[in-house]
Amino acid sequence: MGAERRVVFDLISVIKGEAKLSQALIRDKRLDTLALLPASQSRDKDSLTNEGVAQIIGDLRTQFDWVICDSPAGIEKGATLAMRHADVAVVVVNPEVSSLRDADRIIGMLDAKTAKAESGQRIDKHLLLTRYDPVRARRGEIMKVEDVLEILSIPLLGIVPESGEVLLSSNIGAPVTLGSPGSAPAQAYLEAARRLKGEGTGVVIVNDKPRLLQRLFARRAA
């Protein structure tokens, strides 16, 4: 989001009472309804407590329509705290075996270690498949969409194709939806957001079979 140099206080500052939530929130310069509460990149993560995170999320719920907790990768304490008070979970995976293993473990934790699970409820879970390249999938270098869905067995929210536009947008400090709004990844993220809100249509799964023109071109190039 390009807010690195604007960080003064962070999540841990608020939990420890060193700053108010309003002081730590960074308002986006482009969208006045969007704000960022940064996590700490240097302070002791043990300062994060379930009670502190619950209080902050509760306060944020009164100010915003959506509170999105971006979990760190893996299954450590940060991920557990991020999912603890979730109403809905978006499980983000790459089409690689190691990513799917972590995602499968996270799905199990969502059904066992969240506030909703402890009260006998189930969290709605959605799958967002990123960095997908149908050409590499056909070659067997990455997993196909249907294989990912069979392993994880949760509804598909969207498929974000592999693209250099994501890196380019990141380098200028902008999400791809703003840095390159006409690109395929931007459109995929926007469509996934609409589905999460209950709008839009179903996901069009990328065809893993090469089209006739692609086959002819490959034959000619060979």
Side-chain angles (χ1 to χ4, degrees):
M1 290 174 60
E4 296 89 349
R5 293 182 295 276
R6 298 174 60 198
V7 176
V8 178
F9 298 110
D10 55 39
L11 176 64
I12 292 180
S13 303
V14 181
I15 289 178
K16 298 183 74 171
E18 300 169 355
K20 296 180 179 179
L21 180 59
S22 58
Q23 293 176 285
L25 283 173
I26 301 173
R27 296 284 174 175
D28 190 84
K29 294 179 179 180
R30 299 152 296 202
L31 301 172
D32 57 8
T33 56
L34 176 64
L36 170 71
L37 177 59
S40 174
Q41 297 300 311
S42 58
R43 304 178 71 177
D44 185 3
K45 301 301 187 295
D46 289 337
S47 298
L48 287 173
T49 64
N50 180 42
E51 295 75 17
V53 172
Q55 178 63 49
I56 289 177
I57 290 178
D59 291 344
L60 289 170
R61 286 178 191 269
T62 67
Q63 301 181 44
F64 298 94
D65 295 328
W66 288 83
V67 180
I68 301 175
C69 297
D70 181 22
S71 167
I75 52 177
E76 302 301 330
K77 182 179 180 181
T80 305
L81 287 173
M83 74 174 71
R84 173 71 184 166
H85 302 282
D87 296 314
V88 177
V90 178
V91 182
V92 183
V93 299
N94 296 334
E96 300 168 357
V97 173
S98 59
S99 180
L100 264 65
R101 285 175 181 161
D102 278 351
D104 202 24
R105 178 74 184 278
I106 286 292
I107 290 169
M109 293 170 68
L110 286 165
D111 288 332
K113 292 190 174 183
T114 58
K116 271 198 166 185
E118 291 177 0
S119 64
Q121 303 178 67
R122 291 181 65 86
I123 290 181
D124 288 336
K125 296 175 286 293
H126 304 275
L127 173 65
L128 185 62
L129 180 61
T130 64
R131 305 195 66 178
Y132 188 72
D133 183 343
V135 174
R136 293 188 64 201
R138 288 196 296 272
R139 293 173 181 163
E141 296 173 3
I142 59 175
M143 303 189 74
K144 295 182 179 180
V145 175
E146 55 265 33
D147 296 330
V148 174
L149 292 174
E150 183 178 353
I151 292 171
L152 298 182
S153 299
I154 59 175
L156 181 62
L157 182 66
I159 301 173
V160 182
E162 178 74 273
S163 172
E165 296 289 346
V166 177
L167 179 59
L168 290 174
S169 294
S170 178
N171 287 340
I172 63 173
V176 70
T177 49
L178 295 178
S180 185
S183 66
Q187 294 303 308
Y189 278 120
L190 290 171
E191 289 171 7
R194 293 189 191 100
R195 293 187 194 100
L196 192 61
K197 292 172 61 181
E199 305 170 0
T201 58
V203 183
V204 177
I205 298 179
V206 179
N207 187 357
D208 286 327
K209 294 182 180 179
R211 297 176 183 174
L212 176 61
L213 287 178
Q214 290 175 322
R215 290 199 300 267
L216 289 175
F217 179 78
R219 192 174 302 164
R220 181 179 177 184

